[in-house]
Amino acid sequence: VLTVGSLVYMFNKGSTVVSSDNRLAVQLSPKEKDMVLGEMRTILAAVNGVLHGVAQNDLPATASAAKSAGMAMAVDATPGLMAKLPLDFKTMGMQLHKDFDALAADIDSKKLNQIQIIERLGTMTNSCLACHGNYRIEAVVTTSPTGI
């Protein structure tokens, strides 16, 4: 029971400490930090692509940009990395990927006009603001004992 309780606690809390700016610092290895920040850059590129697609009245390009940040890009996370991320961080991230897929599908099915696409994107980026307001990513380098 204690082991299961500890695992549930870590699944929810992740590997975090309070940072100097009072956000939760998610402590990852340098490689894991690069992975998470790379995913964030992909999401930012998708937002940029959606905006450019709308501005150019190119709905296929808009849908393609939205789909690039969908659930398909979220499959690369390793179980070790997922264990280090707090539950709220994971929940917001997975919902954002689902929202990008839904946006792409609604654009493809012509359910949204350009204003509605921008409104939806604005609502979706509230998750980005909440996450960046609550969390920061820190690389933690651990050294193993030598000479053994």
Side-chain angles (χ1 to χ4, degrees):
V1 172
L2 185 59
T3 302
V4 172
S6 295
L7 290 172
V8 169
Y9 176 76
M10 284 307 296
F11 180 80
N12 286 305
K13 181 184 179 295
S15 178
T16 61
V17 296
V18 177
S19 67
S20 60
D21 63 2
N22 290 320
R23 292 185 291 165
L24 283 179
V26 181
Q27 298 188 315
L28 305 174
S29 72
K31 183 177 179 181
E32 291 167 334
K33 178 183 177 184
D34 290 346
M35 286 177 61
V36 172
L37 295 181
E39 184 170 322
M40 289 177 186
R41 284 189 300 275
T42 299
I43 291 168
L44 183 58
V47 169
N48 184 266
V50 168
L51 292 172
H52 280 285
V54 167
Q56 296 167 0
N57 198 26
D58 186 346
L59 292 182
T62 305
S64 178
K67 188 142 186 78
S68 73
M71 286 300 292
M73 76 167 285
V75 297
D76 292 337
T78 64
L81 171 59
M82 292 303 286
K84 291 179 180 181
L85 300 175
L87 181 59
D88 189 46
F89 186 100
K90 291 181 273 207
T91 301
M92 282 190 283
M94 289 299 120
Q95 186 59 55
L96 185 61
H97 291 304
K98 290 175 186 175
D99 289 346
F100 270 108
D101 280 337
L103 178 62
D106 288 347
I107 293 168
D108 279 337
S109 66
K110 300 187 183 352
K111 289 183 180 178
L112 302 174
N113 64 37
Q114 291 167 306
I115 297 298
Q116 291 169 320
I117 293 168
I118 293 170
E119 286 173 346
R120 176 92 71 84
L121 190 62
T123 299
M124 291 165 54
T125 58
N126 286 335
S127 294
C128 302
L129 292 171
C131 192
H132 284 270
N134 292 324
Y135 300 102
R136 65 187 281 166
I137 305 296
E138 289 184 354
V140 177
V141 178
T142 57
T143 56
S144 58
T146 57
I148 297 177

XYZ file of all heavy atoms in Angstrom, residues 64-123:
443
model
N -3.365 21.813 -41.643
C -2.108 21.068 -41.548
C -1.254 21.581 -40.397
O -0.662 20.793 -39.645
C -1.346 21.185 -42.875
O -0.114 20.525 -42.790
N -1.195 22.888 -40.246
C -0.426 23.471 -39.142
C -1.017 23.049 -37.801
O -0.281 22.672 -36.882
C -0.406 24.996 -39.260
N -2.330 23.069 -37.684
C -2.974 22.665 -36.429
C -2.687 21.195 -36.141
O -2.335 20.830 -35.019
C -4.482 22.910 -36.509
N -2.789 20.356 -37.141
C -2.568 18.920 -36.950
C -1.129 18.620 -36.525
O -0.878 17.658 -35.798
C -2.915 18.152 -38.218
C -2.897 16.658 -38.030
C -4.010 16.008 -38.797
C -4.125 14.541 -38.517
N -4.775 14.234 -37.254
N -0.188 19.463 -36.923
C 1.222 19.219 -36.575
C 1.464 19.265 -35.072
O 2.476 18.755 -34.594
C 2.126 20.223 -37.294
O 2.008 21.515 -36.723
N 0.549 19.859 -34.308
C 0.679 19.915 -32.845
C -0.327 19.004 -32.154
O -0.550 19.106 -30.954
C 0.514 21.348 -32.356
N -0.922 18.091 -32.915
C -1.921 17.185 -32.362
C -1.312 16.035 -31.580
O -0.116 16.007 -31.274
N -2.137 15.062 -31.277
C -1.730 13.923 -30.456
C -0.598 13.112 -31.069
O 0.182 12.496 -30.344
C -2.928 13.011 -30.175
C -3.910 13.580 -29.169
S -3.193 13.910 -27.547
C -2.853 12.247 -26.979
N -0.475 13.119 -32.375
C 0.590 12.333 -33.020
C 1.970 12.770 -32.558
O 2.883 11.954 -32.467
C 0.479 12.436 -34.540
N 2.130 14.041 -32.230
C 3.449 14.502 -31.785
C 3.712 14.177 -30.327
O 4.844 14.274 -29.866
C 3.631 16.004 -32.033
C 2.901 16.888 -31.049
S 3.388 18.622 -31.107
C 4.955 18.575 -30.294
N 2.692 13.758 -29.587
C 2.841 13.514 -28.152
C 3.290 12.101 -27.828
O 3.520 11.795 -26.674
C 1.523 13.807 -27.443
N 3.449 11.250 -28.819
C 3.750 9.844 -28.556
C 5.214 9.592 -28.228
O 5.567 8.496 -27.825
C 3.321 8.934 -29.731
C 1.825 9.005 -29.932
C 4.057 9.308 -30.999
N 6.075 10.576 -28.364
C 7.507 10.378 -28.143
C 7.928 10.396 -26.676
O 9.053 10.061 -26.359
C 8.311 11.450 -28.898
C 8.213 11.284 -30.400
O 7.922 10.171 -30.859
O 8.426 12.278 -31.109
N 7.037 10.787 -25.783
C 7.414 10.915 -24.371
C 7.714 9.545 -23.763
O 6.985 8.586 -23.972
C 6.302 11.604 -23.592
N 8.793 9.481 -23.027
C 9.178 8.233 -22.373
C 8.457 8.127 -21.027
O 8.107 9.143 -20.425
C 10.695 8.198 -22.136
O 11.030 9.250 -21.223
C 11.472 8.368 -23.431
N 8.254 6.908 -20.520
C 7.613 6.758 -19.210
C 8.382 7.474 -18.093
O 7.770 8.053 -17.194
C 7.608 5.244 -18.982
C 7.668 4.654 -20.356
C 8.475 5.625 -21.174
N 9.717 7.471 -18.162
C 10.510 8.163 -17.153
C 10.253 9.656 -17.151
O 10.140 10.283 -16.090
N 10.158 10.235 -18.340
C 9.858 11.662 -18.451
C 8.452 11.942 -17.940
O 8.238 12.873 -17.164
C 10.002 12.139 -19.900
C 9.518 13.563 -20.200
C 10.255 14.582 -19.351
C 9.669 13.862 -21.678
N 7.496 11.140 -18.347
C 6.113 11.351 -17.920
C 5.986 11.286 -16.401
O 5.193 12.015 -15.810
C 5.182 10.341 -18.587
C 5.035 10.558 -20.095
S 4.459 12.212 -20.547
C 2.749 12.094 -20.093
N 6.772 10.434 -15.763
C 6.726 10.321 -14.305
C 7.234 11.592 -13.626
O 6.824 11.913 -12.514
C 7.535 9.121 -13.843
N 8.108 12.322 -14.286
C 8.682 13.536 -13.700
C 7.779 14.759 -13.869
O 7.954 15.756 -13.178
C 10.044 13.832 -14.328
C 11.109 12.822 -13.955
C 12.416 13.170 -14.627
C 13.516 12.179 -14.287
N 14.783 12.547 -14.941
N 6.834 14.683 -14.801
C 5.961 15.821 -15.057
C 4.776 15.792 -14.101
O 4.153 14.748 -13.911
C 5.458 15.785 -16.506
C 6.527 15.826 -17.591
C 5.895 15.653 -18.961
C 7.347 17.103 -17.526
N 4.431 16.932 -13.493
C 3.261 16.965 -12.605
C 1.979 16.658 -13.384
O 1.885 16.921 -14.585
C 3.237 18.397 -12.078
C 4.515 19.018 -12.470
C 5.101 18.211 -13.580
N 0.993 16.118 -12.695
C -0.257 15.721 -13.346
C -0.909 16.879 -14.089
O -1.353 16.718 -15.222
C -1.223 15.122 -12.317
C -2.564 14.645 -12.868
C -2.361 13.565 -13.936
C -3.445 14.127 -11.752
N -0.970 18.057 -13.476
C -1.606 19.208 -14.117
C -0.876 19.592 -15.408
O -1.505 19.928 -16.413
C -1.648 20.392 -13.148
C -2.475 21.546 -13.658
O -3.597 21.310 -14.143
O -1.996 22.698 -13.568
N 0.434 19.515 -15.400
C 1.252 19.800 -16.581
C 0.902 18.806 -17.694
O 0.674 19.193 -18.842
C 2.729 19.684 -16.189
C 3.726 20.075 -17.245
C 4.330 21.321 -17.200
C 4.085 19.202 -18.260
C 5.272 21.689 -18.161
C 5.018 19.558 -19.211
C 5.611 20.811 -19.168
N 0.843 17.519 -17.344
C 0.509 16.472 -18.321
C -0.904 16.654 -18.841
O -1.145 16.524 -20.052
C 0.645 15.075 -17.695
C 2.061 14.671 -17.376
C 2.121 13.287 -16.792
C 1.942 13.332 -15.303
N 2.557 12.254 -14.561
N -1.829 16.958 -17.937
C -3.228 17.116 -18.325
C -3.396 18.273 -19.301
O -4.059 18.139 -20.334
C -4.103 17.332 -17.071
O -3.944 16.209 -16.198
C -5.561 17.487 -17.438
N -2.780 19.419 -18.974
C -2.879 20.574 -19.874
C -2.254 20.264 -21.236
O -2.816 20.615 -22.280
C -2.189 21.797 -19.264
C -2.996 22.497 -18.214
S -2.298 24.100 -17.724
C -0.957 23.587 -16.659
N -1.105 19.596 -21.221
C -0.420 19.279 -22.469
C -1.225 18.332 -23.355
O -1.373 18.570 -24.557
N -1.749 17.274 -22.760
C -2.529 16.306 -23.545
C -3.804 16.950 -24.083
O -4.186 16.714 -25.227
C -2.878 15.073 -22.708
C -1.702 14.172 -22.410
S -0.955 13.504 -23.918
C 0.698 14.136 -23.761
N -4.450 17.780 -23.263
C -5.659 18.453 -23.739
C -5.331 19.405 -24.891
O -6.093 19.496 -25.857
C -6.345 19.216 -22.599
C -7.684 19.822 -23.009
C -8.666 18.772 -23.498
O -8.947 17.812 -22.797
N -9.192 18.941 -24.705
N -4.200 20.087 -24.808
C -3.814 20.990 -25.888
C -3.592 20.219 -27.186
O -4.046 20.648 -28.257
C -2.555 21.779 -25.505
C -2.112 22.855 -26.496
C -3.201 23.922 -26.667
C -0.819 23.491 -26.030
N -2.933 19.067 -27.111
C -2.742 18.243 -28.317
C -4.095 17.805 -28.894
O -4.305 17.867 -30.105
C -1.890 17.006 -27.999
C -0.460 17.321 -27.690
N 0.359 18.030 -28.549
C 0.310 17.013 -26.607
C 1.559 18.148 -28.012
N 1.557 17.539 -26.832
N -5.018 17.392 -28.033
C -6.359 16.994 -28.487
C -7.082 18.180 -29.124
O -7.772 18.029 -30.135
C -7.174 16.439 -27.324
C -6.691 15.095 -26.830
C -7.473 14.656 -25.597
C -6.883 13.388 -25.013
N -7.557 13.010 -23.757
N -6.931 19.360 -28.511
C -7.568 20.565 -29.048
C -7.029 20.913 -30.437
O -7.789 21.360 -31.306
C -7.381 21.744 -28.105
C -8.199 21.618 -26.817
O -9.109 20.766 -26.759
O -7.902 22.372 -25.862
N -5.727 20.718 -30.656
C -5.169 20.970 -31.987
C -5.743 19.990 -33.009
O -6.063 20.379 -34.137
C -3.637 20.907 -31.973
C -2.977 22.225 -31.679
C -2.352 22.446 -30.458
C -2.985 23.252 -32.613
C -1.739 23.657 -30.178
C -2.376 24.474 -32.347
C -1.753 24.679 -31.123
N -5.891 18.723 -32.629
C -6.505 17.748 -33.539
C -7.949 18.129 -33.848
O -8.387 18.051 -35.002
C -6.457 16.335 -32.946
C -5.108 15.666 -33.106
O -4.337 16.050 -34.022
O -4.808 14.743 -32.316
N -8.702 18.541 -32.827
C -10.093 18.943 -33.032
C -10.175 20.191 -33.915
O -11.045 20.283 -34.794
C -10.778 19.188 -31.695
N -9.271 21.124 -33.709
C -9.235 22.325 -34.543
C -8.973 21.946 -35.996
O -9.668 22.419 -36.903
C -8.167 23.296 -34.037
C -7.982 24.583 -34.840
C -9.255 25.426 -34.827
C -6.795 25.387 -34.293
N -8.001 21.092 -36.213
C -7.689 20.651 -37.589
C -8.900 19.976 -38.227
O -9.229 20.252 -39.393
C -6.491 19.705 -37.579
N -9.571 19.111 -37.482
C -10.749 18.411 -38.023
C -11.867 19.392 -38.353
O -12.523 19.271 -39.404
C -11.229 17.362 -37.026
N -12.091 20.371 -37.485
C -13.145 21.349 -37.741
C -12.803 22.262 -38.917
O -13.693 22.682 -39.663
C -13.421 22.178 -36.480
C -14.151 21.378 -35.409
O -14.660 20.273 -35.713
O -14.194 21.852 -34.257
N -11.529 22.558 -39.094
C -11.123 23.352 -40.266
C -11.334 22.524 -41.532
O -11.896 23.017 -42.515
C -9.656 23.810 -40.144
C -9.490 24.803 -38.993
C -9.168 24.425 -41.461
C -8.046 25.085 -38.602
N -10.893 21.265 -41.501
C -11.057 20.386 -42.669
C -12.518 20.206 -43.051
O -12.847 20.135 -44.235
C -10.426 19.011 -42.411
C -8.918 18.999 -42.610
O -8.403 19.872 -43.344
O -8.259 18.113 -42.024
N -13.392 20.127 -42.065
C -14.817 19.924 -42.356
C -15.548 21.237 -42.609
O -16.771 21.245 -42.755
C -15.485 19.147 -41.223
O -15.485 19.923 -40.043
N -14.791 22.313 -42.654
C -15.319 23.652 -42.939
C -16.389 24.099 -41.947
O -17.329 24.809 -42.296
C -15.830 23.715 -44.378
C -14.740 23.411 -45.393
C -15.208 23.630 -46.801
C -14.220 23.292 -47.871
N -12.890 22.966 -47.617
N -16.207 23.698 -40.678
C -17.136 24.102 -39.620
C -16.806 25.481 -39.060
O -17.619 26.066 -38.350
C -17.102 23.095 -38.466
C -17.722 21.773 -38.783
C -17.700 20.869 -37.565
C -18.318 19.529 -37.874
N -18.265 18.626 -36.711
N -15.607 25.973 -39.358
C -15.163 27.235 -38.766
C -14.787 28.246 -39.839
O -14.173 27.892 -40.844
C -13.926 27.001 -37.887
C -14.055 26.001 -36.744
C -12.695 25.786 -36.086
C -15.065 26.475 -35.725
N -15.143 29.499 -39.600
C -14.641 30.555 -40.474
C -13.337 31.083 -39.874
O -12.898 30.632 -38.814
C -15.694 31.657 -40.673
C -16.040 32.383 -39.383
O -15.189 32.639 -38.520
N -17.316 32.740 -39.231
N -12.731 32.045 -40.539
C -11.419 32.529 -40.095
C -11.459 33.139 -38.694
O -10.548 32.897 -37.892
C -10.877 33.534 -41.114
C -10.503 32.867 -42.432
C -10.272 33.864 -43.525
O -11.133 34.701 -43.803
N -9.095 33.786 -44.144
N -12.487 33.906 -38.401
C -12.600 34.515 -37.072
C -12.755 33.425 -36.016
O -12.125 33.486 -34.949
C -13.778 35.513 -37.012
C -13.551 36.668 -37.989
C -14.000 36.012 -35.583
C -12.321 37.501 -37.699
N -13.560 32.415 -36.280
C -13.761 31.328 -35.317
C -12.467 30.540 -35.078
O -12.207 30.094 -33.966
C -14.871 30.393 -35.798
C -16.245 31.043 -35.765
C -17.286 30.214 -36.492
O -17.018 29.647 -37.553
N -18.477 30.156 -35.919
N -11.670 30.386 -36.126
C -10.381 29.698 -35.983
C -9.483 30.484 -35.030
O -8.881 29.919 -34.107
C -9.698 29.502 -37.350
C -10.497 28.531 -38.215
C -8.254 29.007 -37.169
C -10.064 28.503 -39.679
N -9.407 31.784 -35.238
C -8.562 32.624 -34.379
C -9.098 32.634 -32.949
O -8.320 32.553 -31.988
C -8.443 34.045 -34.956
C -7.650 33.997 -36.269
C -7.774 34.995 -33.964
C -7.654 35.279 -37.055
N -10.425 32.704 -32.800
C -11.005 32.669 -31.449
C -10.659 31.354 -30.749
O -10.299 31.342 -29.574
C -12.519 32.845 -31.520
C -12.951 34.256 -31.837
C -14.452 34.388 -32.069
O -15.152 33.359 -32.250
O -14.936 35.540 -32.085
N -10.786 30.253 -31.469
C -10.484 28.940 -30.884
C -9.015 28.871 -30.499
O -8.670 28.395 -29.431
C -10.835 27.847 -31.894
C -10.492 26.444 -31.466
C -11.606 25.699 -30.753
N -12.707 25.318 -31.562
C -12.795 24.229 -32.330
N -11.790 23.395 -32.425
N -13.882 23.975 -33.003
N -8.148 29.356 -31.379
C -6.715 29.346 -31.095
C -6.407 30.203 -29.864
O -5.595 29.824 -29.018
C -5.931 29.835 -32.313
C -4.427 29.674 -32.266
C -4.035 28.198 -32.173
C -3.802 30.314 -33.501
N -7.059 31.342 -29.743
C -6.874 32.190 -28.569
C -7.278 31.478 -27.290
O -6.574 31.569 -26.272
N -8.365 30.745 -27.324
C -8.794 29.968 -26.161
C -7.786 28.870 -25.852
O -7.446 28.631 -24.691
C -10.191 29.363 -26.411
O -11.118 30.432 -26.619
C -10.644 28.514 -25.237
